Protein backbone atom coordinates (compact mmCIF):
# COMPACT_ATOMS: atom_id res chain seq x y z
CA UNK A 1 0.00 0.00 0.00
CA UNK A 2 1.04 3.57 -0.54
CA UNK A 3 0.41 6.52 1.77
CA UNK A 4 -2.78 7.29 -0.20
CA UNK A 5 -4.07 3.75 0.46
CA UNK A 6 -3.75 2.49 -3.12
CA UNK A 7 -2.21 -0.95 -3.62
CA UNK A 8 0.90 -1.09 -5.81
CA UNK A 9 0.76 -3.43 -8.80
CA UNK A 10 4.02 -4.74 -10.22
CA UNK A 11 4.09 -4.86 -14.02
CA UNK A 12 6.73 -7.48 -14.85
CA UNK A 13 7.97 -7.38 -18.45
CA UNK A 14 10.13 -10.50 -18.81
CA UNK A 15 10.17 -12.86 -21.80
CA UNK A 16 12.08 -15.71 -20.13
CA UNK A 17 9.44 -17.82 -18.37
CA UNK A 18 12.02 -19.35 -16.01
CA UNK A 19 13.28 -15.91 -15.00
CA UNK A 20 9.70 -14.69 -14.53
CA UNK A 21 8.90 -17.59 -12.17
CA UNK A 22 12.15 -17.07 -10.27
CA UNK A 23 11.47 -13.34 -9.95
CA UNK A 24 7.94 -13.85 -8.66
CA UNK A 25 8.94 -16.63 -6.25
CA UNK A 26 11.73 -14.59 -4.70
CA UNK A 27 9.70 -11.40 -4.49
CA UNK A 28 7.10 -13.45 -2.58
CA UNK A 29 9.83 -14.90 -0.33
CA UNK A 30 10.74 -11.33 0.58
CA UNK A 31 7.20 -10.87 1.89
CA UNK A 32 5.85 -8.82 -1.00
CA UNK A 33 2.25 -9.88 -1.73
CA UNK A 34 1.38 -7.19 -4.25
CA UNK A 35 -0.32 -8.12 -7.49
CA UNK A 36 2.24 -9.09 -10.14
CA UNK A 37 1.09 -8.66 -13.74
CA UNK A 38 3.40 -10.68 -16.01
CA UNK A 39 3.95 -9.79 -19.67
CA UNK A 40 6.22 -11.71 -22.04
CA UNK A 41 6.40 -9.12 -24.82
CA UNK A 42 6.79 -5.38 -24.93
CA UNK A 43 3.69 -5.01 -27.08
CA UNK A 44 1.49 -6.81 -24.51
CA UNK A 45 2.87 -4.67 -21.70
CA UNK A 46 2.44 -1.41 -23.60
CA UNK A 47 -1.13 -2.39 -24.56
CA UNK A 48 -1.88 -2.87 -20.87
CA UNK A 49 -0.06 0.27 -19.70
CA UNK A 50 -1.48 2.60 -22.35
CA UNK A 51 -4.89 0.95 -22.76
CA UNK A 52 -7.02 0.47 -25.87
CA UNK A 53 -6.90 4.15 -26.81
CA UNK A 54 -3.12 4.36 -26.34
CA UNK A 55 -3.34 7.35 -23.98
CA UNK A 56 -2.38 5.68 -20.70
CA UNK A 57 -5.28 7.45 -19.02
CA UNK A 58 -6.94 4.13 -18.16
CA UNK A 59 -4.37 3.55 -15.43
CA UNK A 60 -4.82 7.04 -14.01
CA UNK A 61 -4.92 6.89 -10.21
CA UNK A 62 -3.27 3.46 -10.06
CA UNK A 63 0.11 2.84 -8.44
CA UNK A 64 2.24 0.85 -10.85
CA UNK A 65 5.84 -0.26 -10.55
CA UNK A 66 7.44 -1.58 -13.73
CA UNK A 67 10.03 -4.35 -13.65
CA UNK A 68 11.64 -4.28 -17.10
CA UNK A 69 13.94 -6.65 -18.97
CA UNK A 70 15.78 -4.89 -21.81
CA UNK A 71 16.13 -7.93 -24.08
CA UNK A 72 12.66 -8.75 -25.38
CA UNK A 73 11.74 -10.61 -28.57
CA UNK A 74 9.53 -7.95 -30.13
CA UNK A 75 11.04 -4.63 -29.05
CA UNK A 76 13.85 -3.31 -26.92
CA UNK A 77 13.27 -2.43 -23.31
CA UNK A 78 14.89 0.95 -24.01
CA UNK A 79 11.97 1.77 -26.33
CA UNK A 80 9.47 0.72 -23.66
CA UNK A 81 11.25 2.89 -21.09
CA UNK A 82 11.27 5.83 -23.52
CA UNK A 83 7.52 5.52 -24.14
CA UNK A 84 6.67 5.15 -20.45
CA UNK A 85 8.64 8.23 -19.46
CA UNK A 86 7.29 10.29 -22.38
CA UNK A 87 3.65 9.73 -21.41
CA UNK A 88 2.07 12.08 -18.86
CA UNK A 89 0.09 9.22 -17.27
CA UNK A 90 2.98 6.76 -16.90
CA UNK A 91 6.08 8.91 -16.46
CA UNK A 92 5.79 8.84 -12.67
CA UNK A 93 5.76 5.04 -12.49
CA UNK A 94 9.02 3.77 -11.05
CA UNK A 95 10.90 1.58 -13.51
CA UNK A 96 13.34 -1.04 -12.28
CA UNK A 97 15.49 -2.46 -15.07
CA UNK A 98 16.45 -6.07 -14.34
CA UNK A 99 18.48 -7.45 -17.23
CA UNK A 100 21.58 -9.39 -18.24
CA UNK A 101 23.06 -6.36 -20.00
CA UNK A 102 25.94 -4.84 -18.04
CA UNK A 103 27.19 -2.42 -20.70
CA UNK A 104 27.98 0.93 -19.04
CA UNK A 105 26.54 2.89 -22.00
CA UNK A 106 23.22 1.01 -21.76
CA UNK A 107 23.10 1.58 -18.02
CA UNK A 108 23.69 5.32 -18.47
CA UNK A 109 21.13 5.46 -21.28
CA UNK A 110 18.49 3.86 -19.03
CA UNK A 111 19.14 6.35 -16.24
CA UNK A 112 19.11 9.23 -18.74
CA UNK A 113 15.69 8.06 -19.95
CA UNK A 114 14.32 7.96 -16.41
CA UNK A 115 14.95 4.45 -15.03
CA UNK A 116 14.87 4.52 -11.24
CA UNK A 117 17.00 1.43 -10.61
CA UNK A 118 19.23 -0.69 -12.85
CA UNK A 119 20.14 -4.22 -11.75
CA UNK A 120 22.24 -6.66 -13.75
CA UNK A 121 20.96 -10.22 -13.41
CA UNK A 122 23.64 -12.47 -11.94
CA UNK A 123 24.27 -15.45 -14.23
CA UNK A 124 24.20 -18.13 -11.51
CA UNK A 125 20.90 -19.30 -10.02
CA UNK A 126 21.72 -18.55 -6.37
CA UNK A 127 23.04 -15.07 -7.18
CA UNK A 128 19.96 -14.29 -9.28
CA UNK A 129 17.59 -15.59 -6.60
CA UNK A 130 19.37 -13.54 -3.92
CA UNK A 131 19.36 -10.37 -6.05
CA UNK A 132 15.60 -10.69 -6.64
CA UNK A 133 14.96 -11.36 -2.93
CA UNK A 134 16.88 -8.17 -2.12
CA UNK A 135 14.81 -6.37 -4.74
CA UNK A 136 11.67 -7.69 -3.05
CA UNK A 137 12.83 -6.21 0.26
CA UNK A 138 13.31 -2.90 -1.54
CA UNK A 139 9.79 -3.12 -3.00
CA UNK A 140 8.39 -3.72 0.48
CA UNK A 141 9.57 -0.30 1.71
CA UNK A 142 9.48 1.94 -1.37
CA UNK A 143 6.74 4.49 -1.98
CA UNK A 144 5.02 4.62 -5.37
CA UNK A 145 2.96 7.61 -6.52
CA UNK A 146 -0.43 7.20 -8.16
CA UNK A 147 -0.50 7.98 -11.88
CA UNK A 148 -2.00 11.37 -12.72
Amino acid sequence: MTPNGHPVSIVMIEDDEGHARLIERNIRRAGVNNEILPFRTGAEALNYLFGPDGSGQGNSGRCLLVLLDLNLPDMGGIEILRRLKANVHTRGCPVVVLTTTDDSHEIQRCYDLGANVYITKPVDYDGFANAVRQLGLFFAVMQVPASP
Side-chain angles (χ1 to χ4, degrees):
M1 292 285 224
T2 61
N4 59 12
H6 295 282
V8 176
S9 296
I10 300 169
V11 176
M12 178 175 54
I13 309 170
E14 169 62 67
D15 66 312
D16 184 306
E17 198 171 325
H19 284 184
R21 280 195 308 268
L22 187 64
I23 290 166
E24 183 165 1
R25 185 177 325 122
N26 283 286
I27 286 175
R28 298 289 182 228
R29 284 184 181 158
V32 175
N33 294 315
N34 301 59
E35 175 183 34
I36 298 176
L37 304 164
F39 296 96
R40 295 194 60 186
T41 69
E44 290 172 350
L46 289 176
N47 285 341
Y48 172 78
L49 290 163
F50 293 134
D53 67 357
S55 72
Q57 193 170 4
N59 280 315
S60 184
R62 294 196 62 203
C63 298
L64 301 174
L65 181 148
V66 177
L67 187 56
L68 176 63
D69 184 10
L70 293 184
N71 305 309
L72 299 167
D74 61 335
M75 65 177 30
I78 295 282
E79 181 59 24
I80 295 168
L81 178 60
R82 183 184 336 274
R83 290 185 192 183
L84 286 173
K85 295 303 181 174
N87 183 286
V88 67
H89 299 291
T90 58
R91 75 172 48 126
C93 297
V95 176
V96 176
V97 175
L98 181 61
T99 188
T100 55
T101 307
D102 65 355
D103 177 82
S104 61
H105 296 299
E106 284 292 293
I107 295 168
Q108 186 60 54
R109 192 166 165 207
C110 286
Y111 280 119
D112 289 347
L113 288 170
N116 300 88
V117 178
Y118 190 106
I119 299 170
T120 302
K121 293 177 186 174
V123 291
D124 65 288
Y125 174 86
D126 289 335
F128 186 39
N130 186 52
V132 173
R133 229 178 345 268
Q134 297 296 320
L135 182 62
L137 294 172
F138 176 65
F139 287 170
V141 298
M142 73 181 291
Q143 300 295 314
V144 176
S147 298

